[in-house]
C-alpha cells in the first residue's frame, strides 16, 4: 500500500484529516464526507457526500490522476477507524502481519490529528478503536509474534513507539492468558496512551543526545503525572489504563518513579506496559544510536527480571518472541 | 486541639507505619531546610502532629467511600502541606483535611512518594476552604482496607 494519508510538505486544512484512498473500497457507503485538496493554494472541495458510495471507476480515476489522499472531517475519525477495522479485517487475502501493517499505516494520520488536538477525549476515542483493531489482528490464531517483530517499524517517532508498545502489550497480555472480555482492548488503548504526558516535555529535552541534567530528568519524569492528570477525570477510562500511564516507570525493587512502588503495589497492566516500553526503546533506532540486537535486549530483560520487571512476564515474553531462546 | 477533633481522631483509624529510622518523626520542629526549601514560594515549617483526612470521590474510575483516616502531618506552608498516610493517593485527588486547629481545609493531592510499607509521603496544595460538619464522613472500618 502506498501513501500513509500524509502529504509530504503539506499540512491538512483545519478540521480535516488525511486518509489514504487505498483504504476505501468501492460501493461501500461511508458515513462521512470526502474532500479533495488539490493544492496548498486552494481550499479543500467536497468530493463525495456521506452515504454516496464511491464506484470502482471513481477510485481508479483518482489514482490515475495521482491523487492518493482524500480528507475527512476530524470529527469523523472514529467512524473512519471503525470502517478500517471492517475493511482490513474482512480482507481474507491479507495475512495477519499484512493487516497489521495496513492498519498502522492507515491510522497514522488519524492518530496525528487526535494527538495534536490536545483533547484527551479525542485521544481516548482513537485509542479505544485502535485497540480493538490491534486486538483482532494480534490475537489472530495465525499470528506469529516473531513474524510481527520482523515487520515492525523501528524508528523512534512518537506514533511508531506508541503503536509498537501497544502491539507488544496486547501480545504479552494475550500470551499471559488475559481473557476477560474487553481487557485486551483496554490494555491496548492504555498502552497507546502511556506516553501522552510527553506532549508537555520540550522536544529539546526529549531528543537530547547528551546526558540529561537532574532538572531535565525531573521534567521528563513528570510526564507520567501529566498523562495521569490529563485522563483521570474521563468517564470512559478504566483504572488499569490510568495505571499504565502513571506506573509504567515503576520497578519491582522500588527504584522506579513517580512513587517508588514495589512488587504487588504496581498494577499488572502497568507491569506489562513497562516491559513493552523498554523492549521497544532498546530495539528502536535513535538519532544517536542504532537499535540493540534482539538477543541483547532479551538478555537485558532477563537480567532484570525480579528486580525491575515481573519475572513471569519476562519469561513469557522471551519465550514467545524468541522461541529458540 | 479541640475535644471534637480528639474524638474524631480516636474514631479514625491510622494506617501509617513509620519506618524504624523515623522514630524521631514527631520531634522535628522549625523551618524546613534544604534544596527544595529554597525553590518554594513560601517557607515550610515542620508541623509534626496528627490530622484527620476525609476521602472524597474525585475520579470516576476510583471509588472512594467517604471514610476518615488519621494521618501524620509533616510540614506546612501558606500554599500546602505534606503528610504521611498508609495508602497511596493520586495527583488531582480532592480531599479534606482537618488540622490541629480544627479547621477543615480542601486539599488537592500533588504528589505521592513511598517511604516504606504502609507509609507514603503525600504533598498537597490547599484548594479553598470548606464548611462540612466532621460527622458527615464516616470513620473508616477498623480493619485495614485492602
Amino acid at each position: 500500500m502506498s501513501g500513509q494519508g500524509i502529504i509530504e510538505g503539506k499540512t491538512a486544512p483545519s478540521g480535516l484529516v488525511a486518509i489514504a484512498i487505498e483504504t476505501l473500497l468501492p460501493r461501500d457507503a461511508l458515513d462521512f464526507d470526502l474532500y479533495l485538496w488539490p493544492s496548498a493554494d486552494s481550499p479543500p472541495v467536497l468530493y463525495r457526500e456521506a452515504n454516496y458510495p464511491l464506484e470502482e471507476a471513481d477510485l481508479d480515476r483518482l489514482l490515475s490522476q495521482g491523487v492518493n489522499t482524500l480528507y475527512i472531517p476530524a470529527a469523523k475519525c472514529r467512524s473512519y477507524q471503525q470502517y478500517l477495522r471492517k475493511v482490513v479485517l474482512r480482507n481474507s487475502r491479507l495475512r495477519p502481519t499484512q493487516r497489521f501493517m495496513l492498519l498502522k499505516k492507515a491510522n497514522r494520520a488519524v492518530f496525528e490529528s487526535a494527538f495534536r488536538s490536545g483533547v484527551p477525549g479525542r485521544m481516548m476515542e482513537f485509542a479505544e478503536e485502535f485497540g480493538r483493531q490491534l486486538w483482532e489482528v494480534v490475537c489472530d490464531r495465525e499470528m506469529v509474534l516473531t513474524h510481527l517483530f520482523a515487520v515492525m517499524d523501528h524508528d523512534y517517532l512518537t506514533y511508531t513507539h506508541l503503536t509498537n508498545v501497544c502491539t507488544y502489550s496486547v501480545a504479552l497480555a494475550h500470551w499471559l492468558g488475559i481473557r476477560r472480555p474487553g481487557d485486551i482492548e483496554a490494555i491496548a488503548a492504555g498502552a497507546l496512551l502511556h506516553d501522552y504526558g510527553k506532549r508537555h516535555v520540550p522536544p529539546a529535552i526529549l531528543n537530547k543526545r547528551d546526558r540529561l541534567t537532574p532538572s531535565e530528568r525531573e521534567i521528563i519524569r513528570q510526564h507520567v503525572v501529566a498523562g495521569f492528570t490529563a485522563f483521570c477525570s474521563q468517564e470512559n477510562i478504566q483504572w488499569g489504563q490510568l495505571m499504565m500511564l502513571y506506573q509504567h516507570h515503576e520497578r519491582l525493587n522500588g527504584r522506579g518513579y513517580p512513587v517508588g512502588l514495589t512488587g504487588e503495589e504496581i498494577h499488572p497492566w502497568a507491569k506489562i506496559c513497562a516491559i513493552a516500553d523498554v523492549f521497544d526503546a532498546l530495539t528502536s533506532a535513535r538519532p544517536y544510536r542504532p537499535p540493540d540486537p534482539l538477543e541483547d535486549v532479551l538478555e537485558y530483560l532477563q537480567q532484570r527480571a525480579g528486580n525491575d520487571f515481573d519475572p513471569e512476564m519476562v519469561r513469557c515474553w522471551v519465550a514467545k518472541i524468541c522461541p529458540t531462546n | 486541639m479541640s475535644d471534637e477533633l480528639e474524638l474524631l481522631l480516636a474514631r479514625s483509624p491510622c494506617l501509617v507505619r513509620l519506618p524504624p529510622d523515623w522514630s524521631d518523626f514527631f520531634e522535628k520542629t522549625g523551618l524546613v531546610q534544604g534544596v527544595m526549601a529554597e525553590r518554594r514560594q513560601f517557607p515550610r515549617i515542620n508541623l509534626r502532629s496528627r490530622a484527620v483526612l476525609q476521602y472524597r470521590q474525585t475520579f470516576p474510575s476510583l471509588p472512594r467511600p467517604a471514610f476518615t483516616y488519621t494521618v501524620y502531618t509533616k510540614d506546612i506552608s501558606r500554599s500546602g502541606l505534606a503528610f504521611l498516610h498508609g495508602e497511596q493517593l493520586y495527583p488531582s485527588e480532592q480531599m479534606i483535611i482537618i488540622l490541629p486547629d480544627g479547621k477543615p481545609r480542601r486539599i488537592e493531592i500533588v504528589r505521592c512518594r513511598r517511604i516504606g510499607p504502609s507509609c507514603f509521603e503525600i504533598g498537597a496544595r490547599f484548594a479553598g476552604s470548606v464548611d462540612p460538619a466532621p460527622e458527615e464522613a464516616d470513620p473508616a472500618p477498623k480493619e485495614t482496607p485492602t
Side-chain angles (χ1 to χ4, degrees):
Chain A
M1 175 190 149
S2 64
Q4 298 176 6
I6 299 173
I7 296 180
E8 294 296 328
K10 278 170 86 170
T11 305
S14 173
L16 295 180
V17 175
I19 65 169
I21 285 183
E22 289 95 326
T23 61
L24 301 175
L25 289 181
R27 294 181 294 283
D28 273 356
L30 309 170
D31 72 344
F32 38 85
D33 297 338
L34 294 169
Y35 291 81
L36 264 173
W37 186 29
S39 75
D41 304 323
S42 56
V45 295
L46 181 64
Y47 176 73
R48 189 61 54 97
E49 275 187 0
N51 299 313
Y52 278 90
L54 289 166
E55 297 299 326
E56 187 125 22
D58 297 321
L59 295 170
D60 289 343
R61 191 179 317 117
L62 286 169
L63 288 171
S64 68
Q65 291 170 352
V67 178
N68 295 313
T69 305
L70 290 173
Y71 293 81
I72 65 171
K76 287 295 186 178
C77 281
R78 193 177 178 91
S79 294
Y80 172 64
Q81 274 188 292
Q82 290 169 337
Y83 171 77
L84 266 186
R85 191 150 63 101
K86 255 178 18 190
V87 163
V88 174
L89 297 175
R90 215 165 59 185
N91 190 340
S92 56
R93 289 172 300 167
L94 297 176
R95 295 194 305 275
T97 47
Q98 289 174 309
R99 287 203 287 272
F100 168 74
M101 290 165 67
L102 185 58
L103 281 174
K104 273 190 61 170
K105 286 182 177 175
N107 273 293
R108 182 182 290 263
V110 179
F111 165 84
E112 297 280 348
S113 171
F115 192 79
R116 290 202 178 121
S117 73
V119 178
R122 276 191 63 187
M123 194 60 208
M124 190 72 215
E125 280 186 7
F126 172 83
E128 282 178 340
E129 184 54 42
F130 187 83
R132 272 184 220 112
Q133 294 174 11
L134 209 60
W135 170 71
E136 294 191 38
V137 172
V138 176
C139 299
D140 185 306
R141 77 170 72 98
E142 289 179 23
M143 171 61 79
V144 179
L145 193 53
T146 46
H147 294 171
L148 188 66
F149 180 74
V151 302
M152 300 286 269
D153 297 318
H154 294 288
D155 56 72
Y156 206 62
L157 303 178
T158 302
Y159 179 68
T160 305
H161 173 61
L162 294 179
T163 51
N164 285 1
V165 173
C166 180
T167 305
Y168 296 142
S169 297
V170 165
L172 180 54
H174 180 66
W175 292 117
L176 285 170
I178 293 177
R179 294 285 186 268
R180 202 168 71 161
D183 275 2
I184 296 273
E185 300 100 301
I187 288 170
L192 202 70
L193 300 173
H194 81 280
D195 267 350
Y196 185 83
K198 283 190 176 173
R199 298 180 70 252
H200 303 290
V201 179
I205 295 178
L206 267 183
N207 302 321
K208 188 178 179 185
R209 300 180 182 212
D210 300 325
R211 199 180 191 84
L212 294 170
T213 64
S215 62
E216 288 170 339
R217 207 173 301 126
E218 183 55 34
I219 289 172
I220 286 190
R221 288 182 169 205
Q222 283 303 306
H223 82 275
V224 297
V225 175
F228 176 86
T229 54
F231 287 94
C232 58
S233 303
Q234 298 280 317
E235 294 280 345
N236 58 344
I237 197 164
Q238 294 184 41
W239 188 247
Q241 293 173 308
L242 280 173
M243 292 300 96
M244 293 173 81
L245 273 72
Y246 190 56
Q247 295 180 347
H248 69 271
H249 284 288
E250 297 284 1
R251 298 292 180 256
L252 293 193
N253 57 10
R255 292 191 182 154
Y257 64 89
V259 180
L261 299 173
T262 62
E264 297 310 309
E265 294 170 339
I266 305 169
H267 195 286
W269 291 10
K271 290 176 180 175
I272 289 172
C273 189
I275 292 171
D277 188 31
V278 167
F279 182 78
D280 185 62
L282 295 176
T283 53
S284 293
R286 309 286 187 115
Y288 47 86
R289 68 157 179 79
D292 292 329
L294 177 60
E295 54 272 18
D296 289 358
V297 176
L298 294 179
E299 191 181 332
Y300 176 93
L301 290 175
Q302 287 174 304
Q303 285 173 351
R304 285 153 182 80
N307 271 327
D308 290 359
F309 308 112
D310 184 282
E312 185 199 339
M313 292 184 184
V314 169
R315 242 189 323 271
C316 179
W317 182 249
V318 170
K320 292 302 181 183
I321 197 133
C322 189
T324 56
N325 190 304
Chain B
M1 196 176 287
S2 67
D3 291 342
E4 201 174 322
L5 182 56
E6 286 281 7
L7 189 62
L8 192 55
L9 284 166
R11 288 166 54 205
S12 304
C14 179
L15 305 179
V16 181
R17 280 168 41 196
L18 281 177
D21 52 349
W22 282 35
S23 54
D24 63 345
F25 176 82
F26 287 103
E27 296 169 20
K28 290 213 165 85
T29 59
L31 273 177
V32 176
Q33 308 289 344
V35 173
M36 288 304 294
E38 291 158 9
R39 289 192 207 163
R40 292 193 196 284
Q41 187 180 11
F42 302 108
R44 289 227 159 194
I45 302 170
N46 284 305
L47 177 68
R48 303 297 169 101
S49 182
R50 294 175 304 154
V52 173
L53 183 70
Q54 294 181 355
Y55 278 9
R56 285 287 186 270
Q57 181 69 34
T58 308
F59 307 138
S61 58
L62 179 63
R64 284 287 196 212
F67 291 151
T68 61
Y69 294 95
T70 295
V71 298
Y72 296 163
T73 59
K74 186 164 176 280
D75 52 64
I76 192 168
S77 75
R78 196 188 302 180
S79 61
L81 81 159
F83 59 91
L84 303 183
H85 185 34
E87 282 187 340
Q88 191 184 175
L89 301 178
Y90 299 90
S92 302
E93 279 205 272
Q94 306 271 331
M95 299 199 169
I96 293 175
I97 196 161
I98 305 174
L99 294 173
D101 64 1
K103 194 175 162 191
R105 290 171 176 82
R106 194 183 307 278
I107 58 172
E108 180 176 305
I109 308 302
V110 175
R111 68 180 184 280
C112 176
R113 184 173 67 98
R114 186 184 188 273
I115 305 299
S118 297
C119 188
F120 294 86
E121 180 179 325
I122 314 288
R125 64 176 192 87
F126 293 123
S129 60
V130 67
D131 190 27
E135 55 272 9
E136 278 184 5
D138 297 325
K142 286 299 180 187
E143 309 80 52
T144 304
T146 53

